[in-house]
Amino acid sequence: MSVVNAVKTELLPRTEALVAHLEAYGNPEALRFFEAISHHLANIRQEDDIAEVFMALSTAAFQGFVLDPKSSVLADDILMRAGRLAHTLSADAGSLN
């Protein structure tokens, strides 16, 4: 499985679940933020695109919106998985040098 497919497989369904929850119960600011993340994930075509998604996710805590408990759990899971993927990708890249 390619790196692009691995990131999409790991993060896109979870981000889509969070967006669906926010559409039904959340606030508009959080919905817009995570819709943008979901859109970026869906449109990753090459490994360079992954960094943009991870950078955008890294700003989640600074957006100023407050998440309901379920949204918070879903967002925390996405951020944890993205962090783990970023660490794995950086370790793989570092071993090539």
Side-chain angles (χ1 to χ4, degrees):
M1 178 181 289
S2 76
V3 172
V4 168
N5 287 337
V7 169
K8 284 184 171 184
T9 299
E10 185 81 12
L11 299 179
L12 188 55
R14 289 166 177 84
T15 305
E16 290 171 341
L18 175 56
V19 166
H21 175 75
L22 289 170
E23 285 175 337
Y25 303 105
N27 60 54
E29 296 86 12
L31 177 60
R32 280 191 297 274
F33 178 80
F34 286 105
E35 279 178 331
I37 297 293
S38 183
H39 177 76
H40 287 301
L41 281 167
N43 289 298
I44 291 174
R45 299 290 178 246
Q46 55 190 9
E47 290 184 25
D48 292 344
D49 299 333
I50 295 169
E52 290 180 36
V53 172
F54 288 172
M55 291 297 292
L57 278 169
S58 73
T59 69
F62 306 103
Q63 295 301 311
F65 48 72
V66 177
L67 298 173
D68 64 273
K70 182 174 180 178
S71 295
S72 183
V73 168
L74 292 169
D76 286 347
D77 181 54
I78 292 165
L79 294 171
M80 185 250 338
R81 290 170 186 274
R84 188 175 57 217
L85 285 165
H87 178 74
T88 300
L89 294 174
S90 67
D92 288 347
S95 67
L96 297 176
N97 295 327

